[in-house]
Amino acid sequence: MTTGATATVRGTRAPEALGRTLMHEHVFAVSAALANDRPELAFPHGRAAAIDATVARLQEVKDAGIDTIVDVTVFGHDRDIPALVEINERVDLNIVVATGFYTEDLPSKTFEIRQALARQRGRNFYVDVFVADIVDGIGTTGVHAGIIKCVTGPEGLTRGSKGLLRAAAIAARETGVPITTHSDPHTRGGLEQLDLFAAEGVDLIRVVIGHSGDTTDTDYLKAVMDTGATIASDRFGYDLPGTPATPERVAVIADLCAQGYADRIVVSHDAMLHTDWLDADYTAMFPRWTPTYIPTEVVPALRDAGVSEADLQQILVHNPARLLAAVAEGAS
Ligand SMILES: [Zn+2]
């Protein structure tokens, strides 16, 4: 496979230099609407304090042995790339940013109307925006997206999400960056997503099915991985009621590694370091929902469960490097 560089906030990196990588986190997510109109909600202690706190937490992540974070915050979840640039100037960690749209159905009215108008002219607005984020960069920051995020929920493919997944597939083929998803494993949503990507000609080796760790149904997980796709056990520490606890998530990974699937698994927390989605009262309910949890607690637990050093390296280093290497169309 011909591999290329990986776009990060601080410029391109060789994929094999990315080191230990968390594949699904949210570093800084604030909507322009709240930041402009209700800043006391977006930044309860001010923007500078939010940036300081995020720098401090990322430094802890770096000190815990993580080298790269993939920030999958996209349209609909509201990126703040200038803030990320400011943050990343103060902490020596690679941050890969994403494009795409976060919604289980229709995107915003703005995107819908632009898409309707684009279609009249034979264009696809979603594809054009995703490709521009990857090829031209985001805003005036010079930062390029290195991965495309898309979403389906318990309803599965809907009128809106179908169009967005298809756009993600087209943009991925055109640019060679991977796709990462939010999926509902309880409805086997990853397989439905993969069917659509395959129909659009995406090499499924370039796809990560997110939130797969929310189920312990290893038959489903193996069916996803048998397509060539990678599963993400990406909510370590986010102990929502009704989801597997850490020991169960660890046992699933250990079981799958024992069956030879280590080259199809990545891990993360889905942590939100600063976001206007949540307030401190909410995040306080999940004290382990922080991106140091995997290096400090989960990796030792995986070792204790029998996962080999080679498999840990595969999950934390080699799989992310393989996925994040942009691949020219037809080169894989
Ligand atoms: Zn997420």
Side-chain angles (χ1 to χ4, degrees):
M1 176 158 53
T2 306
T3 55
T6 303
T8 78
V9 168
R10 299 182 300 180
T12 53
R13 295 285 181 273
E16 54 276 16
L18 294 173
R20 291 170 118 204
T21 300
L22 301 173
M23 284 293 290
H24 186 127
E25 309 290 349
H26 301 275
V27 175
F28 209 89
V30 173
S31 67
L34 281 190
N36 289 334
D37 301 344
R38 308 292 334 161
E40 74 280 11
L41 298 178
F43 304 112
H45 307 290
R47 188 173 186 275
I51 287 180
D52 287 348
T54 306
V55 168
R57 289 188 70 192
L58 283 181
Q59 187 60 54
E60 290 172 11
V61 176
K62 175 72 181 180
D63 293 343
I66 297 297
D67 306 295
T68 299
I69 280 188
V70 180
D71 182 340
V72 294
T73 312
V74 293
F75 293 107
H77 192 170
D78 298 315
R79 302 171 300 192
D80 184 342
I81 303 296
L84 272 189
V85 170
E86 220 178 300
I87 288 161
N88 212 176
E89 279 168 3
R90 294 168 53 190
V91 59
D92 181 21
L93 184 92
N94 302 309
I95 304 175
V96 176
V97 308
T99 188
F101 207 106
Y102 186 93
T103 177
E104 291 183 1
D105 189 18
L106 292 166
S108 65
K109 204 71 196 167
T110 309
F111 270 62
E112 267 187 87
I113 290 172
R114 297 296 297 232
Q115 174 72 335
L117 293 173
R119 280 193 180 288
Q120 290 174 12
R121 302 180 198 122
R123 304 290 311 172
N124 184 319
F125 178 72
Y126 309 149
V127 173
D128 289 347
V129 169
F130 300 164
V131 169
D133 276 359
I134 296 160
V135 174
D136 303 332
I138 298 166
T140 57
T141 60
V143 175
H144 297 246
I147 194 165
I148 305 170
K149 163 89 168 284
C150 49
V151 174
T152 60
E155 304 293 316
L157 283 172
T158 61
R159 181 167 71 87
S161 61
K162 196 183 274 184
L164 288 163
L165 262 69
R166 192 172 287 144
I170 296 167
R173 287 192 53 191
E174 208 168 310
T175 60
V177 306
I179 295 173
T180 188
T181 75
H182 166 116
S183 72
D184 177 49
H186 308 296
T187 52
R188 301 167 73 87
L191 291 173
E192 186 183 39
Q193 294 177 336
L194 290 164
D195 280 346
L196 183 148
F197 296 143
E200 293 294 330
V202 173
D203 182 352
L204 301 183
I205 281 180
R206 310 290 300 143
V207 179
V208 181
I209 299 300
H211 308 334
S212 295
D214 287 0
T215 184
T216 54
D217 178 354
T218 49
D219 288 338
Y220 162 70
L221 297 174
K222 286 193 283 185
V224 168
M225 293 184 287
D226 287 342
T227 69
T230 295
I231 59 165
S233 184
D234 52 13
R235 281 179 164 167
F236 272 104
Y238 190 30
D239 298 320
L240 281 173
T243 62
T246 296
E248 294 170 88
R249 292 175 192 263
V250 164
V252 166
I253 294 175
D255 179 18
L256 294 173
C257 286
Q259 296 185 57
Y261 283 97
D263 65 344
R264 292 284 180 275
I265 301 169
V266 293
V267 291
S268 215
H269 308 81
D270 201 6
M272 301 195 195
L273 297 192
H274 184 80
T275 176
D276 59 3
W277 274 22
L278 310 171
D279 59 23
D281 290 344
Y282 183 83
T283 49
M285 292 192 291
F286 305 98
R288 301 186 299 183
W289 194 31
T290 175
T292 52
Y293 184 53
I294 285 173
T296 59
E297 304 286 340
V298 175
V299 167
L302 287 167
R303 255 186 214 118
D304 289 347
V307 178
S308 69
E309 290 307 313
D311 283 354
L312 284 170
Q313 279 286 105
Q314 188 70 41
I315 290 168
L316 288 164
V317 178
H318 302 311
N319 294 340
R322 180 190 72 227
L323 288 158
L324 292 169
V327 179
E329 189 176 0
S332 59

